[in-house]
Amino acid sequence: MDKTDLVRFEAQAQIMKALSHPTRLFIVHELAKGEKCVCELTEMVGADTSTISKHLSIMKNAGIVGHEKRGTSIYYTLKMKCVLNFFVCVNEVLKKNYEAQRAFA
Amino acid sequence: MDKTDLVRFEAQAQIMKALSHPTRLFIVHELAKGEKCVCELTEMVGADTSTISKHLSIMKNAGIVGHEKRGTSIYYTLKMKCVLNFFVCVNEVLKKNYEAQRAFA
DNA sequence: ATATAATTTGGTTATATTACCAAACAGCCA
DNA sequence: TGGCTGTTTGGTAATATAACCAAATTATAT
């Protein structure tokens, strides 16, 4: 594996990693419906505000979400819309895995 | 976030996580070109055989790759073809991130 | 200017991931 | 059978993630 490829794969992995947590996936799904502030997401998830803030920070750094300040709150939006197509792909795999497991039960 | 959703997001996250490592992304890219045995991938990556074997095991359990024994080797293949479309999506984000960063330099 | 609400940052602890080495295992073939 | 090749498993140490609490920061609005 050459150096250039490694750098690219590391960059890709960082984005994938930013999408590899249940809470972050939930947030992505919610933002797909429309913008939300940290306080709304905190309420929905039921975790500490700082925890949610850190999750958002990870996704912001990865370029997955964007944020805009309005009034006293910061509203987050989904920038990486194409990720939604991928969930279809992931769900297909989950379905196949389920069926494969079922065949042995 | 309700219980059912949590279970689904956890399952999705596990698949994403299986795709969140540079070496595993490299392997996926190689398998996209055609099947490869563990020994070939080990050679290409330049890591310990056991390391590669574990990476493959993670992706096999996630349903991303499949394997077939032939002769003395085990050949791995890419089952989750739709992941390739997602790489296009990820690369778009990387490009945007790069441009955004460049605008400040 | 200050009080207030919203968000981020720092600290700590628990858990997960990853790499390598060494050893076990499997199965093909002389 | 017995040796070889290829692969997986177990152990260990280093690093990375993630959760919560507490404290700092920001800026809105009185």
Side-chain angles (χ1 to χ4, degrees), chain A residues 1 12 20 44 82 89 91, chain B residues 1 12 20 44 62 82 89 91:
Chain A
M1 175 160 45
Q12 288 182 342
S20 297
M44 289 172 135
C82 57
C89 168
N91 287 336
Chain B
M1 174 161 45
Q12 289 182 342
S20 296
M44 289 171 135
C82 57
C89 168
N91 287 335

Side-chain angles (χ1 to χ4, degrees), chain A residues 23 27 38 41-42 45 47-57:
Chain A
T23 298
I27 290 172
V38 181
L41 292 168
T42 297
V45 173
D48 193 273
T49 312
S50 68
T51 300
I52 302 301
S53 175
K54 277 169 188 165
H55 282 309
L56 287 167
S57 170

Side-chain angles (χ1 to χ4, degrees), chain A:
Chain A
M1 175 160 45
D2 95 20
K3 176 75 181 170
T4 313
D5 287 345
L6 179 61
V7 170
R8 152 128 327 184
F9 288 129
E10 278 172 351
Q12 288 182 342
Q14 198 176 352
I15 291 184
M16 303 296 292
K17 219 184 282 187
L19 291 166
S20 297
H21 190 285
T23 298
R24 295 200 285 269
L25 290 176
F26 170 80
I27 290 172
V28 167
H29 275 270
E30 285 306 315
L31 295 185
K33 298 180 201 161
E35 62 173 21
K36 299 268 185 314
C37 66
V38 181
C39 55
E40 286 173 305
L41 292 168
T42 297
E43 163 82 22
M44 289 172 135
V45 173
D48 193 273
T49 312
S50 68
T51 300
I52 302 301
S53 175
K54 277 169 188 165
H55 282 309
L56 287 167
S57 170
I58 288 167
M59 291 198 286
K60 190 181 61 187
N61 289 335
I64 295 164
V65 301
H67 63 299
E68 184 192 333
K69 179 156 227 166
R70 226 166 44 247
T72 128
S73 301
I74 295 180
Y75 290 87
Y76 280 81
T77 53
L78 180 62
K79 276 171 63 185
M80 189 186 193
K81 303 278 189 195
C82 57
V83 73
L84 300 174
N85 300 324
F86 185 52
F87 291 140
V88 176
C89 168
V90 171
N91 287 336
E92 277 169 23
V93 173
L94 287 175
K95 187 158 169 264
K96 280 186 199 163
N97 290 352
Y98 175 72
E99 284 163 4
Q101 193 171 15
R102 220 157 163 272
F104 290 105

Side-chain angles (χ1 to χ4, degrees), chain B residues 63-76:
Chain B
I64 295 165
V65 301
H67 63 299
E68 184 192 331
K69 180 156 225 165
R70 229 169 37 249
T72 128
S73 300
I74 296 180
Y75 289 88
Y76 281 82

